[in-house]
Amino acid sequence: MFDMDNAGQEAAVACAEVLPVGKTFIAELEGYKDANEALADGKPSAIISAFWGAKPYQPDGIYTLGDIKEEVLKDVVPGRPWFLKTMTTLTYGRRDGEVYYFGAGTGVGKTDFFTQQIEYDVNILDVKVGCIYLEMPPAETGKRIAGKAAGKLFHIPDGTWTQEELLETYEQLERTGNLYLGGNFASASWDQIKVRIRYMVHGLGIKHLYLDHLTALADPTKERESLEIITKELALLAQELKIVIHVISHLATPDGQTSRGRRSRNAPSLQG
């Protein structure tokens, strides 16, 4: 019956792990930090109840069928759709707690796909979206998303659009209140990005996060190892925060290096 704070409970588990299986019970003293606090409050009965109600120690992550029965019997419902019907059909939509990775060489159109999907989420699905583009200024990202909404290439001075069209579309996006752009993170570490993701979820209520791109967060001295750590933490974040995370990752080249900064001679470039 250790203290009920984090340090006490961690110590209780550490002790239980080295004691004989089936011989260790951990008591839960509800409403009090420790036995002394219960006594000072005139509630020795709380200590007695905790003692006799102690449960056998069992490591986390082991369940009986009865433990998960309620979860198993929940209805399976489709997730939120993609802007492409075929992708929705193939994936049954996007569900909270999932991470989707998009891999391709530089210049193939991954960011363009993201921009189209973000506009769909914001305007059609009315979902709050957090967008972290590590290699694109927020102003350009906003201009490109507005371009998707209007069907215009607002980021290209080709004479096919007017400033009035850009302003009207941009203000329509602004009125939704659904889009938050992360910026100035070119030199940010993964630990810093995690803080911003948590803020976007808890402080701004985002449900869909877009990260472009994962490769920019890798440690160049141990790229594969650092990417494996980040991908694992992204999966845990999605489940913990109950959000959908979309991630772009550059594919590896034949020599084992990522295609960051490279472009295939035959890879098409998508404008928009």
Side-chain angles (χ1 to χ4, degrees):
M1 192 188 300
F2 287 10
D3 289 358
M4 296 297 110
D5 58 15
N6 288 338
Q9 292 306 292
E10 288 173 4
V13 170
C15 289
E17 287 176 345
V18 298
L19 292 171
V21 175
K23 299 292 186 180
T24 307
F25 293 72
I26 297 180
E28 184 175 348
L29 193 57
E30 294 185 10
Y32 298 101
K33 176 182 178 293
D34 54 28
N36 181 66
E37 191 175 274
L39 282 176
D41 193 37
K43 294 291 179 64
S45 59
I47 304 172
I48 296 171
S49 295
F51 181 85
W52 290 107
K55 297 177 181 178
Y57 166 71
Q58 177 175 297
D60 291 337
I62 299 176
Y63 308 95
T64 68
L65 290 179
D67 294 333
I68 61 173
K69 183 177 181 179
E70 183 178 348
E71 193 69 24
V72 168
L73 296 179
K74 284 184 178 179
D75 289 338
V76 180
V77 296
R80 301 182 191 94
W82 302 88
F83 78 91
L84 295 172
K85 185 176 179 180
T86 302
M87 285 189 66
T88 303
T89 301
L90 291 173
T91 63
Y92 301 101
R94 297 166 289 167
R95 289 161 291 275
D96 292 342
E98 295 181 342
V99 183
Y100 291 88
Y101 287 88
F102 297 80
T106 302
V108 171
K110 304 179 300 298
T111 300
D112 188 61
F113 176 89
F114 263 31
T115 306
Q116 186 79 62
Q117 188 62 60
I118 290 167
E119 187 276 328
Y120 180 85
D121 291 353
V122 168
N123 280 334
I124 306 302
L125 298 186
D126 194 24
V127 171
K128 289 189 181 297
V129 173
C131 177
I132 299 178
Y133 279 11
L134 297 175
E135 295 183 348
M136 184 182 295
E140 182 177 350
T141 304
K143 187 174 289 189
R144 285 172 178 261
I145 294 172
K148 291 299 184 183
K152 301 284 185 177
L153 300 178
F154 288 141
H155 63 291
I156 296 177
D158 59 1
T160 62
W161 54 273
T162 65
Q163 194 68 19
E164 289 73 20
E165 288 175 318
L166 169 58
L167 178 61
E168 180 183 357
T169 308
Y170 189 84
E171 289 184 341
Q172 287 175 352
L173 277 174
E174 190 178 10
R175 284 193 291 271
T176 69
N178 285 338
L179 182 59
Y180 298 90
L181 304 175
N184 304 319
F185 300 155
S187 60
S189 68
W190 167 235
D191 287 338
Q192 292 171 318
I193 295 298
K194 279 192 296 185
V195 170
R196 286 157 174 79
I197 292 174
R198 290 184 185 279
Y199 172 77
M200 283 182 165
V201 174
H202 294 304
L204 305 176
I206 72 149
K207 294 296 293 180
H208 286 186
L209 178 81
Y210 288 81
L211 176 60
D212 182 5
H213 54 85
L214 179 68
T215 322
L217 296 172
D219 181 345
T221 64
K222 44 182 179 179
E223 187 171 58
R224 180 169 180 173
E225 179 183 341
S226 62
L227 287 176
E228 287 176 349
I229 292 172
I230 294 171
T231 53
K232 178 180 179 181
E233 292 190 2
L234 276 169
L236 294 174
L237 264 180
Q239 293 174 25
E240 173 198 338
L241 301 175
K242 295 180 173 58
I243 61 174
V244 180
I245 300 178
H246 312 74
V247 184
I248 283 176
S249 178
H250 291 163
L251 290 179
T253 58
D255 61 5
Q257 300 298 313
T258 62
S259 60
R260 176 173 51 198
R262 305 181 184 182
R263 181 172 173 180
S264 170
R265 182 176 302 172
N266 298 318
S269 175
L270 299 184
Q271 302 286 342

